[in-house]
Amino acid sequence: MVERSGSVATLTLNRPSTKNALNPELVAALGEAVPSVSRDSSVRAVVLTGAGGAFCSGADLKAGLAGGANEEVGTRLDRMHDVVRAIVSAPVPFVAAVDGAAVGFGCDLALACDLRVLSTRGYLQEIFVKIGLMPDGGGTFWVPRLVGLGRAMEYLMLGTRIDAALAREVGLANRVVDPERLPTAAAELALELAKGPPLAIAKIKRAVREGAAGGIDDALAREKAHQLELLRTEDLAEGVMAWAQRRSPEFKGR
C-alpha cells in the first residue's frame, strides 16, 4: 500500500494476519512500488513500515519459499534481492518504521533502509539460524558494518532477538519511541530529510553506501549461493518441522 503526504511517500506491508510475511504477491508489489516512488521527482523521502503492529516476519514459509527446486527458490530470492537493491540504490532516503517484529528477511529489509525508527516493542532478529539457514537478504553485509564483527557474529550465529533499547545502543536504531508515536516520529524524520537538499542527500547516500569495502551485490550473491546449499539439508527440514510444531529443533549437521 502506497500513501503520499507532500514530499514523503509511505509504503506499508499489508498482510497483518501473517505479521506481513513476504509471499510472492507482496514481494512483487514491493518490487513495483520501491522503484516507482524512487523515480518520482516529487518524492524526497520514503517511509517503509508494516500494518497491524508488526514490520515483517520474513519470508512466508507457508507460501513455499523454503521448498521446491533450488532453481525456483533461487528465482524467488532474486526477486527479493531486487527489492533490497532498489532501496539501496534509490536516490532518496528510506526510513524503516519498525513496530513489533522485523525478523529474517524482514530484518534485512529494515537494515537495507538508510535510517530506522523502532517502537519500544519493536525488535530486529536475524532468525535464520534457528531453522538451519543463514541470512539471505544482506544480513551478513549490514550487521557487521553497523555493529562490528564481534557483535555481528553473536547476533547472526545465535539468532539473537535485538529489542529496541539494545538496537539503539548498538547503532541499529536511530530513534526509539512509544508505539503510538511511531508513525508520527517516522514521518517527522522523513519530512526533515525531505526538506534537505535532494542532490546533496543523494550524493551522501551513494558515497556512504559505496564507501564500505565490498558491495551489496557481492554479499547477496554469496548469501544466495550458500543459502541454496542449506536449503537441500536435512537440518532445514528439521528446523521447519520444529518451527511448525513449536518445539526445539535437533540439528544433525546433514
Side-chain angles (χ1 to χ4, degrees), residues 54-65:
F55 181 76
C56 177
S57 59
D60 191 342
L61 296 182
K62 294 180 180 178
L65 193 62

Side-chain angles (χ1 to χ4, degrees), residues 174-245:
N174 299 91
R175 308 275 193 280
V176 174
V177 298
D178 291 334
E180 61 270 18
R181 274 272 303 150
L182 180 64
T184 301
E188 288 174 349
L189 180 56
L191 183 58
E192 186 176 353
L193 291 165
K195 289 179 178 178
L199 296 180
I201 287 176
K203 293 296 187 185
I204 290 169
K205 176 172 176 174
R206 181 173 178 179
V208 171
R209 294 291 192 179
E210 292 179 352
I216 182 61
D217 286 346
D218 296 329
L220 290 174
R222 282 193 301 271
E223 290 184 351
K224 177 184 175 183
H226 294 321
Q227 190 76 305
L228 290 177
E229 292 178 10
L230 291 171
L231 285 163
R232 294 194 293 265
T233 64
E234 293 178 20
D235 276 355
L236 168 65
E238 165 62 11
V240 173
M241 184 68 70
W243 169 77
Q245 296 175 351

Side-chain angles (χ1 to χ4, degrees), residues 26-38:
L26 184 52
V27 172
L30 270 178
E32 292 179 5
V34 172
S36 177
V37 297
S38 300

Side-chain angles (χ1 to χ4, degrees), residues 113-131:
C113 293
D114 303 296
L115 299 172
R116 282 156 294 283
V117 181
L118 270 64
S119 80
T120 52
R121 65 187 181 191
Y123 66 94
L124 304 166
Q125 188 172 19
E126 293 283 8
I127 202 171
F128 298 89
V129 73
K130 300 290 190 181
I131 61 168

